[in-house]
Amino acid sequence: MSADAGNKHAGAPVSARLGIWAFLATELLLFGGLFTAYTVFRISYPDLFHLQHLKLNRILGASNTVILLTSSLSMALAIAAIRQGQRKLMEIGVATTLFCGACFLGIKYLEWSEDFARGLFPRSNLFFGLYFVMTGLHGLHVILGMAVMVWLLIKGRQGVFSGDYNTPVEITGLYWHFVDIIWIYLFPLFYLVG
Amino acid sequence: MDHAPEATAGHHGSYLAEKTLRSWALTLDHKRIGVLYICTTLFFFLVGGVVALLLRLKLLTPGPALFSDHTYNVLFTIHGAIMIFLFVIPAIPSSLGNFFIPLMIGARDVVFPRLNLFSYWCFVAGIVVILGSLVSPMDTGWTFYTPYSEQTSAAVTVLSGGLFLVGLSSILTGLNFIVTIHTMRAPGMTWYRMPLFIWAMYATSVIQVLATPVIGITFILLAAERVLGIGFFDPAKGGDPLLFQHFFWFYSHPVVYVMILPAMGIISEVVPVFSRKPIFGYRAIAYSALAIAFIGFLVWGHHMFVSGMGTLAGIVFSFLTFFVAVPTGVKIFNWIATLYRGSISLDSPMLYALTFIFLFIIGGLTGLFLGSLATDVHVHDTYFLVAHFHYTMMGGTVMGLFAGLHYWFPKVTGRMLNEKLAKYAWGLILVGFNLTFFPMFILGMQGMPRRYAEYPAKYQGLNIVATVGSWVLALGVFLMFLNFIRSLRRGGLAPDNPWRGLTLEWSTSSPPPEENFAEIPTVSEWPYNYGEKPERRTEGKRER
């Protein structure tokens, strides 16, 4: 039973794709709660949000946005490559994405250290509470995505993926784009409060 | 075990054949995982039940007795949390759903068997963490309202972590079922040839996937509040306790439909089989499950009528709450129409199904009392609500579960239950249930508040009735479990199809072989052609 459980579901791509979309729907509602909290508090305390957001480093935030967008591009290229059976190109794409993810986390680390040094903590006020929780949860998702990519690279080295079988690469890509999109919203909400 | 299931057309070993612990703990077989869930959830049903008996025993007298008020608070929190999160929510979907969805759609397993096993162990891990929180047990009630849940010294953070894991398990199970129902149906099984239990489970799974993450983030925030000192829900720090209630009920209302929809699915299977009649209004029942799931997302505010939410919001939520009664009513009328002029046999599954209909009508209609603003202000947080909730959840979901357990026991175990014992147990449960909970409607109307350890002496009479009722109920449940355990060994061997059902699970052996079917069946009609003159219909109401 256990050995053939994987094989007896031939034609996995449809189910895998449906599964990852359902999972992303769950993720969207997970973050949805936080976006709701953000909306409620921003409406309640517009001045607080404006004043506090000035303390964030826009340049670092913008760099991270560029980095994540680049990583989405390299991920998309990796998927396109493996669909045509180009393993080497796929590995380069995934490795680039992994590298971008690491840069993102490095910059995030710098930002947070700067914040802590200036006495800005989650408990400081509601703005920073939201900032740390939302970027923190997002950061966890980045780490999770990177872990999966390391696994993709290992499996890729073993020659598991090909033009016929590349489901894990594709669904990891979908997940990574989702994580990206979350950041696309987080960036203006925290760094560019009007 | 490395054989291709399709190749072995001859003799099939039962899925129960292998006995080792390892073969259970690491199984990828949906049937075994289903059985693991059945055992786990029923165990917590008994634990929660014993706690409930203690609470009822204390309420025998109006004054202080047995244990301290704090212990009382802890016990009713434990009763609520265990019954909700470890029993009622997973009781039907994860256990019977796991076992019967692949069998009823003619598949060999769920689509992601490893994810299924992971869900189970995630559930167990959650349970372990929750039990860990008993070091400093919760006294907040199962709703964990802020700001008290931020101030109490109880292990709220640990409990939040455990419930997060249980929620994750629930999400993954729902996800697995959605994809399974979409992609694994046997050839010829169109959507309108699916058994109604599958429709119900589909609607349930959608709620699990879309609502559970919201309680997940709520638990994360609650833990973050306590650990990091943020003040989202703490008015002293500029936060808003109402926000917590919105988050909490955005999950916790839809989740009552996670509890009730699968039970309704079971009723839709049992009623036509024991009436020997095609189900009446197939499509109406199927769509009403989806309608309940959809509207169920829009009614959470009715838990907050007296929380200071605003009049307009109250009116809108009240209207939507009435609206959700419509598809519920559709189902009940369709079951009754199915019974009409049927050739009814009162075997134990049918007795529980009829009990479901009877008790759920009471539970559902009293829900309308609570859904209308003016009466809710009067009976809010009284025993009226406790009675309503138990009529829907115990009278509804649990009776549905019992119907399902009696209906499918022969299929799951390969043994027949002792029908006489089953009927005695049923009688005691029916009488005991009503003795326990009906007085609470009256107590609530008279103004007795819920969750108080003590009460004015004038309420004692009905409280005695309720407590005595709880003993009768407990005796009935005890007899039922005795019957289960006894029949496992001593029950007569079950034929493949003891109830002459037409859904696919009855076409395979009892208990089913590991690969479910020797050959994947091909479906050419809907599964409800019961009766003398089978109607020449291939699907629901209309030809496509």
Side-chain angles (χ1 to χ4, degrees):
Chain A
M1 173 81 206
S2 46
D4 57 29
N7 300 334
K8 71 183 177 185
H9 310 297
V14 178
S15 50
R17 225 173 290 158
L18 192 57
I20 189 75
W21 278 108
F23 180 72
L24 294 184
T26 275
E27 289 277 30
L28 190 63
L29 277 138
L30 185 79
F31 280 99
L34 291 171
F35 283 112
T36 308
Y38 178 94
T39 311
V40 168
F41 290 129
R42 179 152 168 194
I43 290 170
S44 308
Y45 306 106
D47 297 339
L48 174 91
F49 273 58
H50 183 71
L51 285 176
Q52 294 299 321
H53 104 282
L54 297 172
K55 297 177 182 167
L56 292 176
N57 189 331
R58 274 188 195 181
I59 304 214
L60 290 182
S63 322
N64 256 348
T65 310
V66 173
I67 289 170
L68 271 198
L69 282 174
T70 312
S71 78
S72 253
L73 176 68
S74 59
M75 193 66 215
L77 290 176
I79 295 169
I82 195 65
R83 275 190 183 152
Q84 295 172 7
Q86 306 207 32
R87 283 182 200 158
K88 196 75 215 165
L89 260 181
M90 181 213 90
E91 278 171 34
I92 294 173
V94 174
T96 312
T97 314
L98 201 54
F99 176 71
C100 288
C103 290
F104 176 89
L105 288 178
I107 289 179
K108 204 85 235 131
Y109 174 78
L110 282 181
E111 274 189 274
W112 279 28
S113 323
E114 207 177 287
D115 295 336
F116 294 151
R118 287 155 63 204
L120 296 168
F121 295 102
R123 64 170 179 276
S124 301
N125 54 53
L126 285 175
F127 178 85
F128 272 94
L130 281 167
Y131 167 77
F132 280 110
V133 170
M134 291 178 84
T135 57
L137 189 67
H138 176 263
L140 279 180
H141 280 76
V142 172
I143 293 172
L144 190 73
M146 289 170 65
V148 177
M149 279 175 207
V150 170
W151 178 81
L152 282 184
L153 281 181
I154 295 170
K155 286 285 165 187
R157 283 268 122 172
Q158 296 167 358
V160 170
F161 305 122
S162 64
D164 294 326
Y165 175 69
N166 48 47
T167 315
V169 188
E170 193 180 320
I171 64 174
T172 309
L174 277 170
Y175 170 83
W176 190 256
H177 295 322
F178 171 84
V179 174
D180 240 26
I181 290 168
I182 293 291
W183 178 259
I184 300 293
Y185 282 93
L186 290 183
F187 175 61
L189 286 181
F190 285 110
Y191 293 81
L192 307 175
V193 177
Chain B
M1 304 296 288
D2 216 344
H3 61 274
E6 285 82 0
T8 57
H11 176 73
H12 301 283
S14 142
Y15 79 99
L16 295 167
E18 219 177 323
K19 302 270 187 222
T20 59
L21 195 62
R22 188 188 155 83
S23 74
W24 279 95
L26 297 179
T27 180
L28 296 180
D29 185 344
H30 69 98
K31 298 183 289 302
R32 284 182 167 230
I33 294 173
V35 170
L36 288 172
Y37 271 114
I38 292 174
C39 297
T40 315
T41 52
L42 286 182
F43 172 75
F44 282 103
F45 172 61
L46 294 182
V47 173
V50 168
V51 175
L53 285 174
L54 284 173
L55 291 169
R56 280 303 338 154
L57 189 62
K58 192 221 177 328
L59 291 172
L60 199 56
T61 58
L66 278 180
F67 34 73
S68 69
D69 291 355
H70 175 73
T71 310
Y72 181 86
N73 292 344
V74 166
L75 286 180
F76 80 66
T77 303
I78 290 178
H79 168 70
I82 283 187
M83 284 299 202
I84 298 275
F85 294 108
L86 304 187
F87 170 61
V88 192
I89 292 174
I92 301 180
S94 300
S95 60
L96 294 175
N98 236 320
F99 199 104
F100 286 102
I101 287 176
L103 281 167
M104 292 174 97
I105 63 173
R108 297 213 186 279
D109 206 322
V110 293
V111 66
F112 306 124
R114 270 171 289 198
L115 187 68
N116 202 13
L117 180 67
F118 177 76
S119 303
Y120 177 73
W121 285 110
C122 192
F123 181 58
V124 173
I127 291 171
V128 171
V129 177
I130 289 170
L131 293 181
S133 79
L134 289 179
V135 177
S136 175
M138 292 282 278
D139 55 354
T140 60
W142 77 277
T143 50
F144 319 120
Y145 270 16
T146 55
Y148 180 65
S149 56
E150 295 172 358
Q151 294 155 359
T152 173
S153 60
V156 180
T157 310
V158 179
L159 187 77
S160 300
L163 290 173
F164 186 86
L165 288 173
V166 169
L168 179 62
S169 152
S170 177
I171 291 172
L172 296 177
T173 302
L175 185 154
N176 215 337
F177 290 169
I178 289 177
V179 183
T180 302
I181 294 169
H182 268 282
T183 61
M184 304 283 285
R185 302 193 309 277
M189 180 171 284
T190 60
W191 284 84
Y192 294 117
R193 289 178 190 162
M194 293 196 314
L196 287 163
F197 181 67
I198 304 297
W199 276 100
M201 283 307 309
Y202 186 80
T204 305
S205 304
V206 171
I207 304 174
Q208 283 178 293
V209 168
L210 294 183
T212 319
V214 177
I215 197 76
I217 196 69
T218 311
F219 286 136
I220 291 176
L221 289 179
L222 189 57
E225 300 253 313
R226 288 179 66 98
V227 176
L228 303 175
I230 315 171
F232 298 136
F233 307 131
D234 185 354
K237 293 175 183 166
D240 186 357
L242 268 190
L243 187 66
F244 178 87
Q245 296 186 21
H246 277 294
F247 279 176
F248 183 82
W249 291 115
F250 185 85
Y251 165 76
S252 297
H253 194 79
V255 88
V256 303
Y257 301 112
V258 168
M259 308 177 199
I260 198 69
L261 278 170
M264 290 172 157
I266 291 174
I267 304 309
S268 303
E269 297 302 325
V270 171
V271 165
V273 171
F274 292 87
S275 306
R276 306 318 297 168
K277 261 188 71 190
I279 187 94
F280 186 90
Y282 173 93
R283 287 197 186 199
I285 295 179
Y287 287 142
S288 62
L290 298 179
I292 289 173
F294 177 71
I295 305 168
F297 271 104
L298 307 173
V299 303
W300 79 89
H302 68 215
H303 294 271
M304 300 165 60
F305 284 158
V306 297
S307 301
M309 189 176 50
T311 315
L312 179 64
I315 291 170
V316 172
F317 277 122
S318 176
F319 172 77
L320 288 166
T321 304
F322 289 150
F323 200 48
V324 86
V326 175
T328 313
V330 165
K331 280 176 185 291
I332 291 185
F333 282 120
N334 279 312
W335 294 325
I336 293 173
T338 307
L339 290 167
Y340 176 66
R341 301 190 65 178
S343 165
I344 297 172
S345 47
L346 292 175
D347 295 300
S348 49
M350 186 61 160
L351 288 175
Y352 280 111
L354 296 175
T355 308
F356 172 98
I357 296 173
F358 171 63
L359 295 179
F360 192 75
I361 287 174
I362 298 176
L365 290 178
T366 50
L368 294 177
F369 289 48
L370 290 160
S372 56
L373 288 167
T375 36
D376 184 70
V377 171
H378 180 64
V379 295
H380 181 89
D381 263 349
T382 68
Y383 264 81
F384 188 87
L385 182 131
V386 179
H388 156 73
F389 189 70
H390 285 84
Y391 264 81
T392 53
M393 287 300 121
M394 174 126 200
T397 306
V398 177
M399 291 307 147
L401 171 71
F402 289 173
L405 288 176
H406 285 77
Y407 179 56
W408 281 315
F409 190 91
K411 185 55 68 183
V412 174
T413 65
R415 301 274 179 171
M416 295 302 288
L417 285 169
N418 181 326
E419 189 62 22
K420 208 172 182 182
L421 198 53
K423 280 179 180 154
Y424 282 130
W426 165 79
L428 286 170
I429 288 172
L430 178 65
V431 172
F433 174 85
N434 285 295
L435 272 183
T436 310
F437 293 107
F438 201 83
M440 294 184 190
F441 281 126
I442 304 166
L443 286 169
M445 281 295 193
Q446 291 173 347
M448 179 172 163
R450 70 196 277 225
R451 290 185 165 173
Y452 282 32
E454 294 166 19
Y455 57 85
K458 62 175 175 174
Y459 296 131
Q460 195 182 9
L462 286 170
N463 269 292
I464 292 175
V465 176
T467 300
V468 171
S470 73
W471 300 337
V472 179
L473 180 58
L475 183 64
V477 171
F478 172 76
L479 274 190
M480 188 183 75
F481 274 86
L482 188 74
N483 193 9
F484 289 160
I485 291 163
R486 200 173 156 275
S487 303
L488 277 179
R489 290 181 178 281
R490 289 207 243 157
L493 286 179
D496 290 351
N497 191 357
W499 316 118
R500 295 182 294 145
L502 295 178
T503 37
L504 288 176
E505 80 272 27
W506 301 112
S507 68
T508 186
S509 56
S510 300
E514 195 176 296
E515 65 275 21
N516 289 353
F517 302 96
E519 223 173 289
I520 290 293
T522 302
V523 180
S524 59
E525 57 184 8
W526 74 331
Y528 297 106
N529 279 336
Y530 295 108
E532 304 271 332
K533 284 179 282 181
E535 298 182 28
R536 305 287 302 166
R537 293 194 296 193
T538 51
E539 51 181 54
K541 211 162 186 176
R542 274 159 271 139
E543 299 285 343
R544 279 210 302 175

